[in-house]
């Protein structure tokens, strides 16, 4: 093991706030978010890219935060599940749909699902059933049997489509 | 933390990246998207004292058409290649194959070059590179060299890339005429490692198969070309070819396979399903070319 393991400086925008930090090269973005930023909404299941619980938005794209080094996120913008709601005591359309459709039971996988679905619907606001299944295939849920999650995606898509009719600044 | 300590180098120029890998040799590993390397590090299945991160080397990203070759930079994200209009127009097989690579969250980070250089036997892009007669553009201390895909994959997770070299791009010839492509695979879920898969590329001229290439993945230590099947198909009139012919070719292509047994599937199953996938891919590619 190299003995000159220098911590590296990073500046990362997390949920709209610029955070400066010094990190060990081996620290993953997921561990940094949880342990340094205390944003424990990003969950760690498998820690090797299979379960999807740690999914976050990196520069707007859904990625596994356990498969990115924190040092590699230097200069990037990260959105975690804590950053999705428009304000305190409010939910994003995807979060609201998960709640209403029982898209969760124990909730462990939920942050990853919510982030993945948020990114997916931003690109594809009118998905087919097959497209929904494919979009959900990168996240594992051991409780729900996925039916509630499917329903939540349909519902969220509907909400987002309805909203798009209203002009942005009205 | 799960990973053992390492030094992280983040060069911005290809030359600096090559200098670093040349300096550290086998102690160093290039990290691109990291979607295969980081799991291996997290599980402590492997370790390198120095990681050379090429994410900041802008010149390694992008898609270009150069003299009838499609050139995809090694750092090009799989998701970007997948949605590239240039890739779709030039070689739609690549766009189709990429949809099978991991999940969309993985493809947002994973790179085209990373998948090729990692050379997992069950991954799609190496087999696609073989079927499309790609060449790997490799930079090292002595400059650029090109290696045909056929000579690049030597063993499981092993290529002819030297420890002082970096895969810079993959160059794929874009052929004119009536072309057809297909990729078929069997996996437990979308995005999972394939238990077996087949890739087919054909061109049709004057009502006959003019060129054909068939490659397989997930059935051996490297992706495999099936030249005997390609030869068997070449010259055949497309309108005489029926499903039994494609099935027969599939059986021929799979006959000498000896795929591994593992928890996901037995070797016998892999061989049997390969024959079907090959037949299916051949038929689909030939029909696409015939109606192009």
């Amino acid at each position: 093991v190299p003995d000159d393991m220098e911590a590296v400086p990073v500046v990362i925008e997390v949920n709209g706030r610029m955070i400066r930090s010094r990190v060990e090269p081996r620290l993953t973005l997921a561990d940094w978010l949880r342990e340094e930023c205390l944003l424990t909404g990003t969950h760690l299941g498998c820690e090797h890219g299979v379960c999807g619980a740690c999914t976050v938005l990196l520069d707007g794209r859904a990625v596994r935060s356990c498969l990115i080094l924190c040092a590699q996120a230097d200069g990037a913008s990260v959105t975690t599940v804590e950053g999705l709601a428009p304000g305190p005591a409010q939910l994003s359309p995807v979060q609201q749909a998960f709640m209403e459709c029982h898209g969760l039971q124990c909730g462990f996988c939920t942050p990853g699902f919510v982030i993945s679905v948020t990114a997916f619907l931003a690109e594809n606001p009118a998905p087919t059933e097959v497209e929904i299944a494919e979009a959900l295939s990168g996240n594992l849920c051991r409780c729900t049997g996925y039916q509630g999650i499917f329903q939540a995606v349909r519902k969220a898509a509907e909400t987002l489509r309805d909203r798009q009719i209203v002009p942005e600044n009205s | 933390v799960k990973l053992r300590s390492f030094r992280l180098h983040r060069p911005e120029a290809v030359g600096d990246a090559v200098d670093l890998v040349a300096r550290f040799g086998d102690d160093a590993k290039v990290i691109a998207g990291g979607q295969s390397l980081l799991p291996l590090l997290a599980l402590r299945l492997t370790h390198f004292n120095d990681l050379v991160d090429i994410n900041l080397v802008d010149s390694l990203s992008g898609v270009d058409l150069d003299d009838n070759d499609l050139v995809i930079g090694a750092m090009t994200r799989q998701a970007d290649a997948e949605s590239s209009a240039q890739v779709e127009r030039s070689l739609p097989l690549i766009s189709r194959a990429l949809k099978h690579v991991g999940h969309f969250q993985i493809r947002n980070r994973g790179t085209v070059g990373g998948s090729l250089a990692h050379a997992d036997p069950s991954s799609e892009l190496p087999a696609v590179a073989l079927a499309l007669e790609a060449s790997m553009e490799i930079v090292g201390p002595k400059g650029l060299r090109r290696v045909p895909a056929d000579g690049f994959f030597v063993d499981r997770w092993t290529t002819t890339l030297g420890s002082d070299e970096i895969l810079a791009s993959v160059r794929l010839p874009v052929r004119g005429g009536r072309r057809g492509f297909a990729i078929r695979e069997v996996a437990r879920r979308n995005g999972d490692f394939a238990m077996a898969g087949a890739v087919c590329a054909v061109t049709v001229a004057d009502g006959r198969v003019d060129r054909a290439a068939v490659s397989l993945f997930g059935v051996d230590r490297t992706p495999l070309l099936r030249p005997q099947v390609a030869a068997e198909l070449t010259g055949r009139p497309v309108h005489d070819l029926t499903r039994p012919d494609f099935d027969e070719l599939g059986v021929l292509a799979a006959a000498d396979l000896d795929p591994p047994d593992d928890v996901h599937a037995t070797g016998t199953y892999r061989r049997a399903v390969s024959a079907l996938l090959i037949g299916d891919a051949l038929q689909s590619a030939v029909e696409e070319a015939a109606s192009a």
Side-chain angles (χ1 to χ4, degrees):
Chain A
V1 177
D3 49 11
D4 54 343
M5 214 57 51
E6 291 263 317
V8 294
V10 292
V11 183
I12 302 171
E13 185 187 323
V14 182
N15 300 333
R17 285 183 53 209
M18 298 302 285
I19 314 252
R20 282 165 198 283
S21 182
R22 292 185 69 83
V23 299
E24 258 192 284
R26 62 170 166 166
L27 187 71
T28 64
L29 179 60
D31 279 334
W32 181 75
L33 289 168
R34 289 177 54 82
E35 289 165 22
E36 298 278 323
C37 304
L38 303 177
L39 293 169
T40 53
T42 298
H43 288 173
L44 278 168
C46 70
E47 301 188 63
H48 60 273
V50 174
C51 76
C54 69
T55 308
V56 300
L57 301 180
L58 182 75
D59 291 329
R61 290 173 134 185
V63 296
R64 312 279 206 229
S65 63
C66 74
L67 296 188
I68 292 173
L69 299 171
C70 182
Q72 293 180 303
D74 182 34
S77 147
V78 176
T79 304
T80 69
V81 70
E82 290 92 340
L84 291 180
Q90 289 180 288
L91 294 175
S92 77
V94 174
Q95 288 171 319
Q96 184 72 31
F98 267 71
M99 191 187 79
E100 287 175 15
C101 302
H102 305 285
L104 63 147
Q105 285 180 31
C106 85
F108 189 89
C109 68
T110 312
F113 269 99
V114 167
I115 292 278
S116 290
V117 171
T118 301
F120 168 62
L121 292 179
E123 276 199 11
N124 185 354
T128 63
E129 292 293 296
V130 172
E131 287 166 344
I132 295 175
E134 198 174 323
L136 294 177
S137 68
N139 292 78
L140 297 180
C141 170
R142 299 302 304 270
C143 303
T144 61
Y146 299 96
Q147 297 308 309
I149 297 174
F150 259 84
Q151 192 52 39
V153 179
R154 295 185 198 110
K155 170 94 184 173
E158 221 172 89
T159 311
L160 288 165
R161 284 199 303 272
D162 288 348
R163 278 201 188 174
Q164 274 179 348
I165 302 167
V166 183
E168 281 259 308
N169 297 321
S170 68
Chain B
V1 283
K2 291 285 184 283
L3 288 69
R4 269 179 70 189
S5 286
F6 49 77
R7 279 180 295 253
L8 181 68
H9 308 272
R10 309 198 76 205
E12 293 177 20
V14 183
D16 294 340
V18 170
D19 286 348
L20 285 162
V21 292
R23 185 181 346 149
F24 298 115
D26 286 338
D27 285 337
K29 188 74 177 172
V30 172
I31 179 167
Q35 302 299 285
S36 300
L37 181 59
L38 280 175
L40 294 173
L41 294 174
L43 295 166
R44 298 203 175 196
L45 293 171
T46 187
H47 171 72
F48 299 93
N49 283 337
D50 292 273
L51 290 193
V52 178
D53 179 0
I54 56 171
N55 277 271
L56 301 181
V57 185
D58 290 338
S59 63
L60 293 178
S61 284
V63 172
D64 208 10
L65 197 61
D66 174 35
D67 199 17
N68 280 333
D69 286 341
L70 182 70
V71 181
I72 306 180
M75 257 312 299
T76 308
R77 306 281 174 205
Q78 289 153 0
D80 292 333
E82 184 186 348
S83 62
S84 156
Q86 179 68 264
V87 171
E88 170 70 35
R89 213 165 33 241
S90 303
L91 290 167
L93 175 61
I94 297 173
S95 323
R96 293 178 208 167
L98 281 165
K99 295 190 195 324
H100 294 278
V101 178
H103 307 284
F104 79 90
Q105 300 90 338
I106 300 288
R107 300 195 292 273
N108 277 340
R109 190 71 188 163
T111 65
V112 170
S115 179
L116 292 167
H118 182 55
D120 190 286
S122 65
S123 64
E124 292 81 3
L125 293 184
V128 167
L130 278 181
L132 294 179
E133 297 173 62
S135 52
M136 307 298 160
E137 301 191 311
I138 295 167
V139 285
K142 289 181 205 146
L144 181 86
R145 68 181 179 112
R146 292 205 177 108
V147 177
D150 203 9
F152 184 69
F153 303 105
V154 256
D155 204 341
R156 185 176 295 157
W157 307 311
T158 310
T159 68
T160 52
L161 259 182
S163 63
D164 57 353
E165 294 181 314
I166 290 175
L167 178 62
S169 49
V170 56
R171 176 175 286 266
L172 303 119
V174 180
R175 303 190 191 286
R178 304 166 77 182
R179 312 174 302 160
F181 304 102
I183 178 165
R184 294 287 185 274
E185 71 174 54
V186 172
R188 290 283 173 206
R189 296 176 307 164
N190 273 346
D192 280 3
F193 285 105
M195 293 183 278
V199 173
C200 184
V202 298
T203 58
V204 165
D206 303 325
R208 290 172 186 275
V209 176
D210 187 41
R211 302 175 64 98
V214 178
S215 62
L216 306 178
F217 53 99
V219 292
D220 206 334
R221 302 176 69 87
T222 64
L224 295 179
L225 269 178
R226 302 274 86 182
Q228 70 281 37
V229 176
E232 189 73 28
L233 189 62
T234 305
R236 301 267 283 263
V238 291
H239 291 296
D240 292 354
L241 287 164
T242 58
R243 183 68 208 201
D245 297 316
F246 294 114
D247 284 339
E248 199 177 298
L249 289 165
V251 171
L252 170 71
D256 64 339
L257 295 178
D258 185 19
D261 292 319
D262 65 23
V263 65
H264 302 294
T266 63
T268 311
Y269 173 76
R270 285 191 159 94
R271 185 167 57 242
V273 84
S274 292
L276 292 171
L277 294 171
I278 296 160
D280 216 28
L282 285 170
Q283 180 173 23
S284 172
V286 168
E287 285 176 359
E288 183 175 278
S291 61

